Amino acid sequence: MANEYDLVVLGGGTAGYVSAIRASQLGMKVAIVEKEKLGGTCLHKGCIPTKSLLKSAEVFSYIKQAAKYGIQAQTPAYDFKDIRNRKDEVVAKMYGGVQHLMKANHIDVYSGTGRILGPSIFSPQAGTVSVENSSGESELLVNKHVLICTGSTPRELPFLPFDHKTVLSSDDMMTLETLPKSMAIVGGGVIGLEFASLLADLEVEVTVIEAGSSIIPAEEKKISRILQKELEKKGIKFLTGESLSAETIVQDEQGITFTLSEVVNAEQVLVAIGRRPNSDDIGLNNTKIKATNGFIEVNEFYQTEDKHIYAVGDVIGNLQLAHVATKEGVIAVEHMNDAAPITLDYDTVPKCIYTNPEVASIGMTEAAAKDAGFDTVTKAVPFAAIGKAVINGDTSGQAILIKDKKSDEVLGLSMIGPNVTEIINEVALAKFMNASTLELGLTVHAHPSVSEVLMELGLAGEGRAIHI
């Protein structure tokens, strides 16, 4: 006998469970199908556990610098088992919260692999979901709508496949029992650099190998250069413009060796070259849904070619960020219910890198704005001009504003420095409200606070900066 729902959500990650809650609020009868654990990659293998590890590494780093703040402390030490246990406790607490939310919102959760079926006696259109559990038994979920939130998994190199022992994925990093003395990281993007930062803070010898000419190529070039310089101060070595092949790599019992512009020896290697969509085994062949390189094609409301089936998050190939996926999911659910949602302007989405120092940005880089035809004005404010940053001892970074000379619109803003992953949200609000640079500069900010850098930037955009 089939179970009937208004909405079946494939994937119980952040986008999936948030969308399910919003659907329940709108009066829909909802089911989630998840083959692992509610919370998905973000909660169990990504956002949350990595930030817990980064926090422990940050604390260890700060204690080592205690003398800079007038504090005499003993030489610190750490036990990685304790750091890992704290990470597991954080995840477990939040996982319990998600399970409670499902019960509180009357959402049914099915454990197993969900696949979309074609037209059948249960429905004249594709969309019925078959759920296969670990025992091989199946049950059918008949529905009015389907929301695909199946996420993504780490990509591997064909000549350097994951063996989960020497060649690691970001998922494998969550289950390490001990840290190696040395690690090579292939990929100078967000994931690779966050792990490089925390490993270096925990005194692991780290080498980052990047095929491109610079790290974090999607960010402002000056921010990229500052970040590399700051990470090099931690002892991280960078090899950019390097092409890997099977001929450049040798594995043995001691670890792995890369023969590039210089020889790199490491006990383990983390491959962080991006993520691929989880769309291979969910029944797309039974639908009209189109996909390119595995990424599902959707419209601005996240409808597929089968208009009652929607898809959001990593599986559609936009910004692969948890907060983007949840916003997309809410828009999709509201569109199902004729709630006239506002479509998402991706230039209003904050992007954060939780290295030490942190990086945050929103909107366009200067190069992208010029390519789009804007006549730009660029202003920069160093954190050395901000009192709270001086107090914190974090003055090496800066904030960069790009505005349209004609309209005074904030086209983009990039920062590297203390607390920038928090204060970027103020810029997100300003972008959402179409605030001008002058309005940003005239907003009263508490003193001393790190966010005063935004006020100074706004004033600088009008030629009225006070402290630079």
Side-chain angles (χ1 to χ4, degrees):
M1 181 176 177
N3 300 300
E4 296 187 6
Y5 292 92
D6 295 313
L7 172 64
V8 173
V9 180
L10 285 183
T14 308
Y17 79 74
V18 169
S19 301
I21 291 171
R22 181 64 183 131
S24 180
Q25 291 172 346
L26 291 169
M28 300 180 88
K29 183 181 179 183
V30 186
I32 286 180
V33 180
E34 171 55 50
K35 66 179 181 180
E36 295 184 8
K37 289 184 176 181
L38 288 171
T41 295
C42 179
L43 178 53
H44 299 284
K45 302 173 184 177
C47 320
I48 301 304
T50 57
K51 304 316 171 281
S52 176
L53 295 175
L54 280 158
K55 184 62 181 180
S56 294
E58 178 189 28
V59 170
F60 182 63
S61 178
Y62 269 128
I63 295 173
K64 290 192 291 184
Q65 301 175 58
K68 184 169 74 172
Y69 300 91
I71 307 298
Q72 302 304 316
Q74 293 182 342
T75 302
Y78 71 87
D79 187 330
F80 188 67
K81 179 180 178 181
D82 294 334
I83 291 176
R84 192 188 65 219
N85 287 344
R86 180 181 185 274
K87 177 261 294 181
D88 292 341
E89 289 169 3
V90 169
V91 170
K93 184 174 182 178
M94 298 193 69
Y95 178 49
V98 173
Q99 292 174 303
H100 169 74
L101 288 171
M102 296 300 95
K103 293 178 181 178
N105 287 278
H106 311 291
I107 297 164
D108 293 339
V109 179
Y110 291 82
S111 180
T113 299
R115 298 182 180 89
I116 301 170
L117 303 180
S120 67
I121 60 172
F122 297 103
S123 175
Q125 60 186 2
T128 296
V129 173
S130 170
V131 183
E132 180 182 350
N133 64 26
S134 58
S135 300
E137 300 172 339
S138 297
E139 54 186 319
L140 300 180
L141 309 182
V142 178
N143 57 76
K144 297 177 182 177
H145 295 94
V146 176
L147 179 60
I148 302 171
C149 312
T150 47
S152 63
T153 52
R155 288 187 183 276
E156 63 181 3
L157 289 166
F159 52 84
L160 191 63
F162 300 129
D163 64 14
H164 313 294
K165 182 180 178 181
T166 301
V167 184
L168 310 177
S169 70
S170 56
D171 289 355
D172 296 322
M173 296 294 290
M174 295 300 99
T175 58
L176 284 180
E177 295 186 1
T178 60
L179 290 180
K181 293 181 179 178
S182 58
M183 182 172 288
I185 297 178
V186 178
V190 175
I191 295 173
L193 293 183
E194 287 187 352
F195 279 112
S197 179
L198 79 86
L199 289 169
D201 279 344
L202 295 176
E203 301 179 336
V204 175
E205 181 183 319
V206 177
T207 302
V208 175
I209 302 169
E210 167 58 37
S213 59
S214 64
I215 61 173
I216 51 171
E219 298 295 331
E220 199 68 49
K221 289 183 179 179
K222 193 168 186 179
I223 298 294
S224 171
R225 290 194 295 269
I226 294 172
L227 179 60
Q228 180 169 332
K229 183 178 179 180
E230 291 302 307
L231 293 179
E232 285 173 341
K233 290 179 181 178
K234 297 175 181 287
I236 298 173
K237 182 178 292 186
F238 289 88
L239 299 180
T240 57
E242 299 284 0
S243 296
L244 294 180
S245 65
E247 291 72 27
T248 63
I249 302 168
V250 175
Q251 283 183 251
D252 56 31
E253 294 181 357
Q254 305 302 314
I256 190 163
T257 298
F258 297 88
T259 304
L260 303 167
S261 57
E262 59 182 271
V263 176
V264 177
N265 296 300
E267 291 183 10
Q268 292 176 310
V269 56
L270 165 64
V271 177
I273 57 169
R275 301 179 65 85
R276 60 177 180 82
N278 294 329
S279 59
D280 292 341
D281 189 29
I282 59 174
L284 297 187
N285 57 302
N286 297 320
T287 73
K288 300 176 184 177
I289 295 173
K290 296 178 181 178
T292 302
N293 296 323
F295 292 108
I296 295 173
E297 297 179 14
V298 295
N299 65 15
E300 70 271 28
F301 295 107
Y302 309 106
Q303 288 176 292
T304 68
E305 288 295 312
D306 274 314
K307 298 305 180 184
H308 62 293
I309 302 177
Y310 294 66
V312 301
D314 287 6
V315 78
I316 67 173
N318 287 331
L319 293 174
Q320 293 186 321
L321 301 169
H323 48 287
V324 170
T326 57
K327 186 62 176 177
E328 292 170 343
V330 168
I331 291 170
V333 166
E334 291 182 348
H335 188 259
M336 294 173 197
N337 288 274
D338 299 320
I342 300 172
T343 57
L344 179 57
D345 178 356
Y346 290 90
D347 278 340
T348 67
V349 172
K351 297 166 286 184
C352 299
I353 306 176
Y354 295 84
T355 45
N356 183 10
E358 295 179 344
V359 173
S361 64
I362 195 165
M364 301 180 184
T365 62
E366 182 180 12
K370 288 181 176 179
D371 288 344
F374 288 100
D375 184 7
T376 61
V377 174
T378 301
K379 297 291 181 180
V381 173
F383 276 98
I386 306 302
K388 187 63 179 293
V390 176
I391 292 168
N392 290 345
D394 297 320
T395 58
S396 59
Q398 63 178 265
I400 301 172
L401 170 74
I402 299 97
K403 77 166 188 173
D404 178 21
K405 188 175 182 179
K406 182 178 179 180
S407 67
D408 198 35
E409 177 188 358
V410 177
L411 299 174
L413 196 150
S414 301
M415 297 179 284
I416 178 169
N419 309 119
V420 297
T421 60
E422 296 290 339
I423 64 177
I424 193 65
N425 294 306
E426 181 182 337
V427 189
L429 177 60
K431 285 280 288 178
F432 184 76
M433 300 298 290
N434 292 316
S436 67
T437 52
L438 181 58
E439 288 170 324
L440 186 63
L442 294 180
T443 302
V444 178
H445 287 68
H447 177 75
S449 64
V450 175
S451 60
E452 284 182 279
V453 73
L454 300 180
M455 179 178 67
E456 200 70 38
L457 261 182
L459 294 173
E462 298 298 316
R464 296 172 51 178
I466 301 298
H467 294 97
I468 60 170

